[in-house]
Amino acid sequence: MSGLSVLSHGSQILSRRGPIIVSYAGVSKQVKPDEASGSVDKLRSQLDTGPDLSDFIAGVVPRNQEEWEEYQGKLKLEKGEKRLRLPPWLKTEIPMGKNFSKLKKDLRGLKLATVCEEARCPNIGECWGGEKGTATATIMLMGDTCTRGCKFCSVKTARAPPPLDPLEPVNTAHAVAEWGLDYVVLTSVDRDDIPDAGASHIAETIRELKIAKPELTVECLTPDFAGDLACVEMVATSGLDVFAHNIETVEALTPFVRDPRAKYRQTLSVLKHAKECKPNLVTKSSIMLGLGETDEEVEQTMKDLREVGVDCLTLGQYMQPTKRHLKVKEYVTPAKFAHWEKIGKEMGFLYTASGPLVRSSYKAGEFFIKNIVENKQKEKSTVSA
């Protein structure tokens, strides 16, 4: 069904004297009064027969399904070819709206960076442009410059980035409290130039957030702290609700995709230790597809994550941010992403988001993950009693 890309977050019909204005999927048109009834009935019919909220949250949205199935373009990069043409399911709306502008202004004023901008996330318009109370951003701690150079990432790199801002933890808590959110996602650059890799700074930010709003659910996408498990424990026990650390790709491709200091087994060790430090802590990881991995390798990676107790998993399409980064080897179809979501459920992940535009910090998943966090807290309270 075409044109529903915006509907889950805010299609609207504005009625006033004169023509009715129908704002639908980013395209506005005037409807004469005698046509209004028919237009509304048609829209109702589309909504009734279209995908529901759970479809959007799951990341597998049957939008423009006929166009997708009829797409005849190449999906795999052949030797000697420069790049693949973008398939229709990866085309997104241009970011716009009052909330988009407000969030950007607030972040600049408080000198906060976001991974949404630095990593050029395709969902920025959806996450930042939501209605009041649902708009969200993933705040990137410790500046906008990373000490590592992963070949898929567009975040700036340097051996010695600027020093940490000591006011960042307080500023972050202030911003989040002002936005009135009940779920926030933190992430950070890698800071191998700092003795604890920034673990104490991240932990302080989480504590400040909890002081500002105790009921806030806090997710943090952490670095690997160079494998220092004491640093992992510092963050895991700081009041955090969701500990996320991305495996990124399959083991065989890790040396070619990630910085040499970011190792596959080290990532598994970080995730395992976080769960051991705090058993009721929700753990989460993410896999990018389209880098040349095989189905067998993807399934093995999912098994490895489950073996170390990972609760939540996201799978999304790798998108080449600039010509200097790794090329997309394959555009994975929505049907294939649906397959991986099914496998994830069968393996026992409490939540699996699998779709072309799903990212590790994708806001739609917060609805499900917040519920998982609350259920684990209830289980802990029952056992304690």
Side-chain angles (χ1 to χ4, degrees):
M1 183 173 64
S2 62
L4 273 177
S5 60
V6 182
L7 225 50
S8 67
H9 295 286
S11 272
Q12 55 185 340
I13 300 174
L14 302 176
S15 181
R16 63 184 183 185
R17 291 184 180 179
I20 288 178
I21 307 298
V22 178
S23 177
Y24 182 52
V27 180
S28 298
K29 65 177 182 178
Q30 290 194 340
V31 182
K32 295 178 182 178
D34 58 344
E35 297 175 354
S37 179
S39 296
V40 172
D41 289 342
K42 182 180 179 182
L43 182 57
R44 282 194 185 122
S45 174
Q46 289 175 316
L47 287 170
D48 289 340
T49 57
D52 59 23
L53 180 61
S54 64
D55 293 316
F56 285 89
I57 291 172
V60 185
V61 188
R63 297 173 287 186
N64 305 317
Q65 193 68 41
E66 292 179 5
E67 182 184 354
W68 295 357
E69 291 173 354
E70 294 171 1
Y71 182 66
Q72 299 296 315
K74 293 186 68 173
L75 295 175
K76 287 192 176 183
L77 191 70
E78 301 294 338
K79 190 174 182 180
E81 291 182 328
K82 290 186 176 180
R83 60 182 50 85
L84 294 167
R85 182 179 178 183
L86 199 69
W89 54 81
L90 287 171
K91 295 177 182 176
T92 57
E93 300 286 334
I94 296 172
M96 60 191 301
K98 289 182 180 179
N99 279 323
F100 179 86
S101 300
K102 182 181 184 301
L103 263 175
K104 193 166 187 176
K105 184 179 178 181
D106 288 350
L107 289 161
R108 294 295 174 278
L110 292 167
K111 298 180 181 179
L112 297 176
T114 71
V115 74
C116 315
E117 295 173 289
E118 298 299 330
R120 306 184 186 192
C121 180
N123 300 311
I124 190 169
E126 179 183 351
C127 292
W128 286 29
E131 293 302 313
K132 185 176 181 181
T134 62
T136 187
T138 296
I139 296 173
M140 188 163 70
L141 302 176
M142 303 195 291
D144 62 357
T145 306
C146 186
T147 53
R148 297 189 184 180
C150 295
K151 300 175 186 66
F152 63 87
C153 183
S154 65
V155 174
K156 291 184 291 186
T157 63
R159 289 184 179 178
L164 300 183
D165 178 2
L167 295 178
E168 186 175 54
V170 174
N171 282 342
T172 301
H174 173 73
V176 171
E178 192 174 278
W179 292 334
L181 306 176
D182 60 0
Y183 193 115
V184 66
V185 183
L186 305 174
T187 186
S188 75
V189 291
D190 277 282
R191 291 298 299 261
D192 299 290
D193 59 317
I194 300 172
D196 70 353
S200 57
H201 188 86
I202 294 171
E204 184 185 351
T205 304
I206 294 165
R207 285 192 291 270
E208 289 290 346
L209 284 165
K210 289 293 188 175
I211 291 169
K213 191 173 182 181
E215 69 274 20
L216 181 72
T217 301
V218 182
E219 174 182 332
C220 186
L221 177 59
T222 75
D224 60 20
F225 307 110
D228 187 333
L229 299 184
C231 292
V232 174
E233 184 170 353
M234 189 186 303
V235 174
T237 58
S238 62
L240 187 63
D241 299 295
V242 182
F243 184 103
H245 180 55
N246 291 344
I247 197 91
E248 306 293 8
T249 188
V250 300
E251 188 167 18
L253 294 180
T254 295
F256 309 102
V257 173
R258 303 174 72 185
D259 184 278
R261 290 164 286 185
K263 301 176 178 63
Y264 184 89
R265 295 291 159 182
Q266 183 168 275
T267 290
L268 292 174
S269 174
V270 166
L271 289 162
K272 182 180 181 181
H273 192 68
K275 180 69 81 173
E276 289 173 344
C277 292
K278 190 178 176 184
N280 67 317
L281 182 67
V282 175
T283 52
K284 178 182 173 185
S285 196
S286 183
I287 306 171
M288 297 179 292
L289 301 184
L291 287 161
E293 67 285 333
T294 66
D295 287 357
E296 292 76 16
E297 289 172 330
V298 174
E299 190 164 343
Q300 183 58 54
T301 303
M302 293 171 73
K303 288 178 181 177
D304 290 342
L305 291 170
R306 277 302 298 138
E307 285 177 6
V308 295
V310 171
D311 301 297
C312 305
L313 175 67
T314 62
L315 300 99
Q317 172 70 53
Y318 166 66
M319 304 280 280
Q320 183 182 11
T322 74
K323 291 180 180 179
R324 295 181 293 103
H325 292 84
L326 288 173
K327 292 181 180 178
V328 176
K329 293 290 183 69
E330 179 183 6
Y331 283 125
V332 181
T333 66
K336 192 66 174 181
F337 276 109
H339 165 76
W340 292 124
E341 182 186 11
K342 180 174 177 289
I343 295 296
K345 288 179 180 178
E346 291 173 355
M347 285 188 181
F349 287 102
L350 299 181
Y351 167 70
T352 306
S354 180
L357 291 175
V358 167
R359 294 295 179 264
S360 59
S361 304
Y362 190 49
K363 78 161 198 169
E366 294 167 10
F367 296 107
F368 283 118
I369 296 173
K370 183 173 176 60
N371 188 51
I372 291 169
V373 169
E374 290 172 350
N375 286 339
K376 281 184 172 285
Q377 290 172 346
K378 288 177 184 176
E379 288 173 8
K380 183 184 177 183
S381 299
T382 303
V383 172
S384 300

